[in-house]
Amino acid sequence: AARNHSIFIKCKQLSGCSSTIEVIVRMKRVYYDLHLHSCLSPCGSEDMTPNNIVNMAKLMGYDMIALTDHNSCLNCEATVTVGKRNGLTVVPGMELCTAEDAHTICLFPTVADAMEFHQYVKQHSPVMNNDAGTFGTQIIMNDSDEPIGEETQLLINAANIGIDDVVALVNQYHGAAFPAHIDRSAYSVFSTLGAIPPEANFKAAEITHYADEVCLLREHAELRDKILLRNSDAHYLEHMLEPNAWLALPECTPECLIAALNGEIDITWK
């Protein structure tokens, strides 16, 4: 079906209702990449500036992207601002490294919510200065792609936040979370724990673009009731993928995305 083709599905409307009701909602396919790094991540290219990320995503045909630097949201405001100027939905977020060394994507409806979560993570992370020569620079930018500072605390260390606590914690800041690149051999929930703990209460999970979805579903029964997302995890502009994965959402907004990832609305996806 074409991108602008609308489909009708049954949507379980929970937010703001005293009881569950079933309604018919017009849904549109939203092509997304919910895992992108900027030059704030020490392993990210200095070319990953707010304007370069947004303009590349627009050029490639994305409807929605998320900025998810390691353990920080300091470049979210600039990137969201650039997105608004260019008609692209940018979701503020973070790739959190949990206490178990399992990377987890955390997304928020507003920059204000993201920055409050950012402060919480910083307070629960080890204090260790970044050695730019070893790990890379951690550049903070404004919406004109001008450097306005550097984060001095190394961002790639594990925070003192357990994976079972992430969803409830992120929900406190009105957000949603899902484990990142679960099929990778390092820094994933499968590589560190062997499975997604049911106590973690994730409603979605990210698999890599080269993952064998059929094999994963066969070997990991806990994935069968989850939305499976495919994102690029791009640290370089040339690593951004052509749009392929989509979510059918009522609107192309952070709020609708977060409601879907929290299981508050039923959606279709590919």
Side-chain angles (χ1 to χ4, degrees):
R3 175 186 300 258
N4 294 326
H5 177 68
S6 297
I7 57 176
F8 288 93
I9 68 167
K10 227 167 221 186
C11 170
K12 192 175 290 182
Q13 189 71 37
L14 300 181
S15 298
C17 297
S18 58
S19 60
T20 299
I21 58 174
E22 295 291 334
V23 295
I24 301 297
V25 176
R26 185 183 293 271
M27 313 289 271
K28 291 189 176 181
R29 290 182 178 181
V30 174
Y31 287 80
Y32 68 85
D33 188 340
L34 304 178
H35 188 170
L36 292 167
H37 292 265
S38 78
C39 52
L40 176 60
S41 292
C43 42
S45 167
E46 293 187 7
D47 291 332
M48 293 293 275
T49 66
N51 281 274
N52 283 348
I53 293 169
V54 168
N55 288 331
M56 180 63 80
K58 283 283 290 183
L59 184 66
M60 297 177 78
Y62 280 101
D63 302 306
M64 175 186 287
I65 63 171
L67 186 67
T68 55
D69 283 306
H70 292 293
N71 286 359
S72 180
C73 298
L74 288 175
N75 272 348
C76 286
E77 182 175 10
T79 310
V80 169
T81 299
V82 175
K84 289 178 179 177
R85 278 204 305 257
N86 289 275
L88 178 70
T89 300
V90 178
V91 184
M94 173 191 294
E95 183 173 22
L96 172 70
C97 185
T98 71
E100 300 87 355
D101 272 335
H103 287 188
T104 306
I105 301 299
C106 307
L107 303 177
F108 303 92
T110 68
V111 171
D113 289 323
M115 288 308 300
E116 287 187 24
F117 181 73
H118 164 93
Q119 292 298 332
Y120 181 94
V121 171
K122 189 166 187 176
Q123 292 166 7
H124 291 79
S125 296
V127 178
M128 178 180 175
N129 287 336
N130 178 42
D131 180 350
T134 301
F135 300 108
T137 55
Q138 300 180 154
I139 304 171
I140 306 166
M141 288 198 157
N142 64 18
D143 59 18
S144 298
D145 284 359
E146 298 167 333
I148 57 174
E150 284 195 35
E151 173 58 72
T152 58
Q153 182 168 314
L154 183 62
L155 295 175
I156 57 175
N157 287 324
N160 187 26
I161 300 170
I163 196 164
D164 288 352
D165 301 321
V166 172
V167 168
L169 176 62
V170 170
N171 287 169
Q172 291 180 30
Y173 299 92
H174 313 115
F178 54 86
H181 41 66
I182 58 174
D183 52 301
R184 282 194 185 161
S185 59
Y187 298 110
S188 71
V189 65
F190 284 175
S191 67
T192 58
L193 299 177
I196 299 176
E199 297 81 8
N201 201 31
F202 291 115
K203 302 294 191 299
E206 177 190 86
I207 60 177
T208 60
H209 65 92
Y210 50 79
D212 184 335
E213 184 176 329
V214 173
C215 181
L216 284 171
L217 291 171
R218 183 173 63 247
E219 295 177 357
H220 297 275
E222 73 270 26
L223 295 178
R224 295 170 191 166
D225 63 349
K226 291 177 174 53
I227 300 169
L228 296 183
L229 304 164
R230 290 184 187 259
N231 301 304
S232 70
D233 187 16
H235 292 65
Y236 293 78
L237 291 171
E238 59 266 32
H239 293 166
M240 292 176 67
L241 303 173
E242 291 294 328
N244 184 43
W246 53 264
L247 299 167
L249 299 175
E251 297 176 347
C252 184
T253 64
E255 290 80 4
C256 283
L257 171 69
I258 287 164
L261 296 180
N262 280 331
E264 295 174 2
I265 57 175
D266 292 335
I267 64 165
T268 55
W269 50 272
K270 173 185 175 293

